[in-house]
Amino acid sequence: GAGVSQSPSNKVTEKGKDVELRCDPISGHTALYWYRQSLGQGLEFLIYFQGNSAPDKSGLPSDRFSAERTGGSVSTLTIQRTQQEDSAVYLCASSPFLGYEQYFGPGTRLTVT
Amino acid sequence: SQQGEEDPQALSIQEGENATMNCSYKTSINNLQWYRQNSGRGLVHLILIRSNEREKHSGRLRVTLDTSKKSSSLLITASRAADTASYFCATDALRGGGSEKLVFGKGMKLTVNP
């Protein structure tokens, strides 16, 4: 079946602009996660959604970051007023339930100039 | 904050040799997972071991878990050039009797030379 997809695969934006990153999880997966990975670094947790529960936003680095998950499926990560330090690969993953193995998308490489 | 820490941070071996990577963590866990990442993109799940398991096998992979030492090891036997990648351990911290989000280590770069 189809895996996790993310769009766009690459995004170059100017400092101060807003960007939206999209994630389509595997159908039926109740948990969805966003991570950020800077060059050569590990994964930095941003936010996760589990079913209809309130999302865990504890990893969002500032109030410029927000995410939503509509209808328990597609998720959008929004970064407002982008800064150069926001440049990274943003990875989305889904899993059948929280705590199970996660299936990752290919990521969106964001470059803020 | 990082929960898992992989050791060594980088490992270079010859094709056919075995590769062992270690992971240490700090808090009680539900499960521990290992992932592989090629080319800085999406991660691929390799194996999950639960807190009540001590050893698990999957093909050329062998994972052990020692909850008393809060450590795990990933052994790749008969390595191939295609095993060249970064490997991450991730822990699902046990909180309030339920699962929590996965926390990933910084990763370990394995290079298998042909």
Side-chain angles (χ1 to χ4, degrees):
Chain A
V4 178
S5 61
Q6 291 185 245
S7 60
S9 56
N10 286 285
K11 176 71 177 179
V12 180
T13 189
E14 292 179 353
K15 178 182 174 182
K17 301 276 189 179
D18 297 352
V19 294
E20 283 189 353
L21 312 180
R22 177 186 167 104
C23 173
D24 282 88
I26 293 173
S27 177
H29 281 192
T30 65
L32 185 147
Y33 315 79
W34 283 99
Y35 300 90
R36 179 170 72 175
Q37 186 177 33
S38 300
L39 187 64
Q41 300 298 310
L43 272 70
E44 176 188 2
F45 165 78
L46 297 177
I47 186 171
Y48 80 76
F49 300 85
Q50 168 59 45
N52 295 321
S53 302
D56 180 342
K57 305 179 181 181
S58 60
L60 294 179
S62 77
D63 59 7
R64 296 186 295 105
F65 288 72
S66 63
E68 62 177 22
R69 187 179 186 191
T70 54
S73 181
V74 172
S75 177
T76 302
L77 176 70
T78 301
I79 309 173
Q80 297 178 309
R81 304 181 303 281
T82 52
Q83 304 294 313
Q84 288 186 330
E85 60 263 28
D86 299 334
S87 295
V89 175
Y90 289 81
L91 293 162
C92 173
S94 69
S95 66
F97 299 99
L98 191 65
Y100 282 54
E101 62 268 25
Q102 298 185 11
Y103 297 82
F104 281 78
T108 294
R109 186 179 300 279
L110 175 66
T111 304
V112 182
T113 60
Chain B
S1 62
Q2 297 298 126
Q3 161 78 313
E5 293 281 344
E6 294 88 354
D7 171 59
Q9 292 188 340
L11 180 64
S12 182
I13 60 174
Q14 294 300 121
E15 206 164 26
E17 293 180 339
N18 296 341
T20 299
M21 290 160 270
N22 302 301
C23 171
S24 59
Y25 57 92
K26 298 175 184 174
T27 64
S28 296
I29 60 171
N30 271 321
N31 64 60
L32 184 144
Q33 304 181 35
W34 285 90
Y35 289 80
R36 183 185 71 219
Q37 184 179 37
N38 294 88
S39 305
R41 285 297 183 129
L43 279 71
V44 173
H45 178 261
L46 295 177
I47 198 163
L48 180 154
I49 186 165
R50 301 201 180 278
S51 60
N52 61 354
E53 297 176 307
R54 291 297 165 258
E55 187 171 313
K56 205 161 183 180
H57 297 253
S58 177
R60 293 184 296 111
L61 306 180
R62 173 178 169 254
V63 169
T64 62
L65 179 64
D66 187 335
T67 52
S68 66
K69 295 181 179 178
K70 291 186 168 58
S71 68
S72 172
S73 67
L74 170 67
L75 169 67
I76 304 175
T77 59
S79 64
R80 305 167 181 169
D83 295 329
T84 295
S86 291
Y87 291 81
F88 294 85
C89 70
T91 51
D92 170 23
L94 178 63
R95 301 231 171 90
S99 289
E100 268 283 343
K101 59 184 180 288
L102 281 184
V103 179
F104 284 79
K106 294 182 179 179
M108 194 220 75
K109 174 64 178 172
L110 173 67
T111 302
V112 181
N113 301 299

